[in-house]
Amino acid sequence: MTVSLSGQNPLPLAVITMSLTTHAVANPQTGVPSAKVESRLSTAAQTVLKWGLPLKRDPLSPSTARREARRVMKSWGLEDGILDDSLLVVSELVTNAVQYAQPPISLSLHLSHDQALLIEVIDGGPSPVEDEWTANRPADEHGRGGVIVDALTSGAGEINQPHGCVHRWAAVESPNGQQP
């Protein structure tokens, strides 16, 4: 297993532990994730709320992910600042999975007691061929997602599993840990 980390601040071990144990359950016949993302938290990660969404490897998946994540985060009472930053991070992580990875693809959100939000996108690993849309775009029109994610999060990273799945995660913290 390979773990890489980036970001402005060290990430709490609890967030890393959530990423290592969160997974999408794929339908063995189709390879498409089931309607559920399961989590097994092995430390005092303090997750209060969690939500998951299976996604297709489709150009419309980033907008679907943003729309559904917005609905869920609003229902959780997240303030506008963290909501806007989180939606941009969701968009970047899902777009990268759609463009560069194999299915299955899933998005999950984990909200902690102190209003820190863990955003996780799990995919089937690197695609052997580049997405057609990406391949036809000039180099200066893409490739900035990692910079955007790093700028908006307190930590981000990637965990490459031996079986090929890749977990990309980012943590967005509420200013001053304010409760909704």
Side-chain angles (χ1 to χ4, degrees), residues 47-70:
T47 296
V48 178
L49 300 168
K50 54 190 166 189
W51 170 84
L53 177 69
L55 296 163
K56 297 178 182 177
R57 187 171 188 246
D58 181 280
L60 296 177
S61 287
S63 64
T64 300
R66 280 190 309 274
R67 182 180 61 251
E68 295 302 316
R70 176 184 296 280

Side-chain angles (χ1 to χ4, degrees), residues 25-92:
V25 179
N27 177 323
Q29 296 166 337
T30 64
V32 175
S34 69
K36 175 177 167 182
V37 174
E38 298 177 2
S39 294
R40 294 177 304 219
L41 305 177
S42 58
T43 66
Q46 305 297 318
T47 296
V48 178
L49 300 168
K50 54 190 166 189
W51 170 84
L53 177 69
L55 296 163
K56 297 178 182 177
R57 187 171 188 246
D58 181 280
L60 296 177
S61 287
S63 64
T64 300
R66 280 190 309 274
R67 182 180 61 251
E68 295 302 316
R70 176 184 296 280
R71 181 184 57 77
V72 168
M73 289 188 284
K74 279 191 166 284
S75 77
W76 289 352
L78 291 180
E79 56 198 57
D80 288 341
I82 189 173
L83 185 100
D84 293 340
D85 288 352
S86 298
L87 288 172
L88 187 50
V89 171
V90 164
S91 187
E92 291 297 331

Side-chain angles (χ1 to χ4, degrees), residues 28 38 43 46 64 74 81 95-96 105 124 128 132 137-138 141 160 164 166 173 178:
E38 298 177 2
T43 66
Q46 305 297 318
T64 300
K74 279 191 166 284
T95 297
N96 284 343
I105 299 170
E132 184 178 325
R137 306 305 310 161
E141 287 189 17
N160 296 300
V166 178
E173 296 181 11
Q178 297 171 355

